Amino acid sequence: MHWLYLIIAVLFEISVAIAAGKSEGFKNVKWTVITLVSGVIATIFLSLALLTFDVGVGYSMWTSLAGVGIVILGAVFLNQRLNFGKVTGIAIVISGVIGLRLSGAA
Amino acid sequence: MSNAQTRHLPDSDTGNKRAWGALLVAGVFEVGYALSVGGSQAFTVLTWSISAIVFFLLTLYFLSVALKTIDVGIGYAVWAGIGSIGAAVFGAILLNQSLTLYQSFWLAVIIAGVICLKLADSAKLTRPDP
């Protein structure tokens, strides 16, 4: 169940990252509201995931998987090209998460 | 501050410094946020829950200020990098959680991956417009 909580938290964190960038220092009302609402939902699910994961482990997986998600969404929906660096970064992040999982930390 | 778009001009040094300062402050607040969320036991402990909310608002505010000037890919990588390292180190110190050598290694791998990912993402975004 904690993995499901983490994945939901990751999805809303992706929304936070995109909306925060568009909110222009919280001056744009619509994007500010989207940022805050997404952030609240992401935080609630992160806190549920952190009941099981240690903070360092759970938090790192949360932000890094959100970063991976942003790039993948950009490639799928915004037609942004996946270059060598992005694919390498995604592979490194995912190996790190698998490593944590195999080492028993996650 | 003029409202002209000064991102690519040499005279935007002061704005850049302020933006990076805001980003570092956001990173520190992000560590506070991560630890508070972890300590809140799914928001059942009042004090940790309140500090989580306060840090949440502070970190987002400073991040959004920083991202007005700094590219979102680089900004997010630095912010999350500070947050990840801080959460692991202070989680071990303040919340008595384990931080083994193996864990540290794989956390470092994840952070390296995020930096690689974000720098690759930004290379395209910062290319001057034709």
Side-chain angles (χ1 to χ4, degrees), chain B residues 73-88:
Chain B
I74 294 171
Y76 193 81
V78 171
W79 178 62
I82 295 171
S84 292
I85 296 168

Side-chain angles (χ1 to χ4, degrees), chain B residues 13-64:
Chain B
D13 269 6
T14 314
N16 273 335
K17 276 178 194 157
R18 286 184 55 181
W20 280 99
L23 187 62
L24 294 180
V25 171
V28 171
F29 285 135
E30 181 68 0
V31 176
Y33 163 78
L35 294 175
S36 303
V37 172
S40 77
Q41 297 293 313
F43 288 92
T44 54
V45 181
L46 185 64
T47 46
W48 283 109
S49 304
I50 292 170
S51 79
I53 293 164
V54 171
F55 280 127
F56 166 70
L57 294 173
L58 288 171
T59 191
L60 278 184
Y61 174 72
F62 281 96
L63 179 66
S64 73

Side-chain angles (χ1 to χ4, degrees), chain B residues 58-125:
Chain B
L58 288 171
T59 191
L60 278 184
Y61 174 72
F62 281 96
L63 179 66
S64 73
V65 169
L67 291 185
K68 281 198 287 187
T69 306
I70 299 169
D71 177 79
V72 65
I74 294 171
Y76 193 81
V78 171
W79 178 62
I82 295 171
S84 292
I85 296 168
V89 170
F90 289 100
I93 296 171
L94 297 177
L95 300 175
N96 244 351
Q97 299 186 332
S98 68
L99 184 61
T100 64
L101 200 60
Y102 281 122
Q103 261 173 275
S104 309
F105 172 76
W106 290 117
L107 287 175
V109 168
I110 290 177
I111 293 163
V114 171
I115 292 169
C116 175
L117 185 66
K118 292 305 180 178
L119 292 184
D121 205 13
S122 302
K124 188 171 68 68
L125 295 172

